[in-house]
Amino acid sequence: MSPRFLIAVLPLLLSGCISLDPHYDRPASPVPGQTPQGAAYTALTPVQKEEYRNTSWQQYVLDARLRQVVTMALSSSRDLREAIASVKSAHAQYGEERAALFPTVNAELSGSRSRALTGTGNQTAISSSATAEGSVSSFELDLFGKNQSLTREQYETYLSTAEAARSTRLTVLYNTVDYWLALAADRSNLAIAKDTAESARQSLEVTRKQFEHGTASMVDVSSADTTYQSAMSDIASYTTSVAQDKNALDLVVGQIVPDNLLPEGIESLQQAFANIPAGISSDVLLNRPDVLEAEHTLKSANASIGAARASFFPTISLTTSGGVGSSQLSSLFKNGAGVWSFAPSVSLPIFAGGYNVAQLRYTKAQKEYYVAAYEKAVQTAFQEVADALARRGTINEQLMCQQNYVASAGSYYHLADLRYRNGIDTYLDALTAQRTLYTARTSLVSTQQAYYTNLITLYKVMGGGTALETELK
């Protein structure tokens, strides 16, 4: 085996095989194994976590218009573009760190020609030389795994950034649906306010005529006018809300959403989302991108401890070269003589003012911090899922009762208005019935919005489908 070959492969043969990273164990779950039990959860149907993991947002969102709006958001959102750019940057930094595991090999061809005195009288001679070399400059042998620990640290940071981008993608999906639903609800409220204003206007006209004929008092006229003016005020308020909802939707989508993709009202949505059972064990939390992000950050901190430990050990660097040399460039690769050099160096840390000790303490403290951050992420995820499931377990009953309330309020107002027009009751009863109906209808809109929002909230807090992760790569 030639010396030049040994010089070329020696750095690879001596690359590190020792890791000083602490053994990593995922922290024990700080939450119960099952979601809470109680009256709010009795209506839930058990389901396996794979049913959520394997459900893409295209399968979950059934409304054709909303699908198009979400597609626009996922392709145009500036927040998502920033997140993806961060992933690309983290991946490039990982590549930079990983490059330290391998020697840098350079090829060099050099030549020189000089004229000098020969030492005999004033005679001169011209000499020339040429060399061709391959060299490894200052390659640090990773005997104690420092570079590998730093590489693992950067790799886990990259994975953490990727999960953060997945979380951003899921948030963009949720916000798009949420603003779209808010627009639908406010459009319904605007329509209700207009209906109420028109009904109040008609009642006001009837009351004024009755006042003119002496069958109603000025108090009745003033009461009817207050209802009308209140409804007109609500019209102005909901008109503003509809415009602002559209602006918010355009912002989260990243472009102007066409009018044909906007909802008419909350009551027109019907089956906007797939009805996936909601009872599930708490291990589904491990699929949430924010929990995975926290765990990769913890693993990165674990690797940084190994790098800090390796700083206490000697550093061995190699500078090597091997090639051929000749006095003539034309014979360099034919009759040239072999040339080589080998220059190892060893650096042993003796005194650094306590820097290495402080650095090791810092990395250990950082790991403790990220353990707590991971556990908090799991606890937060558990609370969000439990809240969403509690809402899911009761929303159907509330929606049904609210619909019955609107039906009863409608009958109450119809009868009260008839009795007033026929002179049986005072206008106070009709006014009370009208306000009750108005409140019931707007409350129904809020409940319908809560019903649909809960469906998309469940999809978000349970981590979404794997399609989000797949499309991000």
Side-chain angles (χ1 to χ4, degrees), residues 24 26-36 281-296 298 369-387 461-462:
Y24 175 77
R26 174 182 290 171
S29 177
V31 298
Q34 296 293 327
T35 50
S281 62
S282 61
D283 62 352
V284 73
L285 304 179
L286 301 181
N287 185 51
R288 278 177 51 130
D290 57 337
V291 174
L292 292 174
E293 177 188 358
E295 183 171 15
H296 286 303
L298 174 58
Y369 171 84
Y370 289 119
V371 167
Y374 171 79
E375 292 174 343
K376 184 176 180 180
V378 174
Q379 290 175 333
T380 301
F382 182 84
Q383 183 249 326
E384 291 179 352
V385 170
D387 286 349
V461 299
M462 290 186 179

Side-chain angles (χ1 to χ4, degrees), residues 277-412:
I280 198 165
S281 62
S282 61
D283 62 352
V284 73
L285 304 179
L286 301 181
N287 185 51
R288 278 177 51 130
D290 57 337
V291 174
L292 292 174
E293 177 188 358
E295 183 171 15
H296 286 303
T297 302
L298 174 58
K299 290 181 178 180
S300 176
N302 191 71
S304 68
I305 294 178
R309 286 174 173 175
S311 298
F312 288 90
F313 293 90
T315 299
I316 301 177
S317 299
L318 298 179
T319 300
T320 66
S321 66
V324 293
S326 174
S327 60
Q328 299 294 330
L329 180 62
S330 59
S331 60
L332 177 62
F333 295 102
K334 296 180 180 179
N335 302 315
V339 295
W340 58 272
S341 68
F342 179 65
S345 64
V346 180
S347 175
L348 178 64
I350 297 178
F351 178 74
Y355 175 83
N356 290 340
V357 175
Q359 179 67 15
L360 180 59
R361 290 175 179 172
Y362 171 77
T363 56
K364 290 182 177 180
Q366 283 294 99
K367 182 179 179 180
E368 293 177 3
Y369 171 84
Y370 289 119
V371 167
Y374 171 79
E375 292 174 343
K376 184 176 180 180
V378 174
Q379 290 175 333
T380 301
F382 182 84
Q383 183 249 326
E384 291 179 352
V385 170
D387 286 349
L389 291 178
R391 175 76 286 193
R392 177 66 182 277
T394 58
I395 189 63
N396 287 323
E397 181 179 359
Q398 181 180 348
L399 183 60
M400 181 181 64
C401 293
Q402 194 67 45
Q403 290 169 340
N404 294 336
Y405 177 37
V406 170
S408 298
S411 298
Y412 172 38

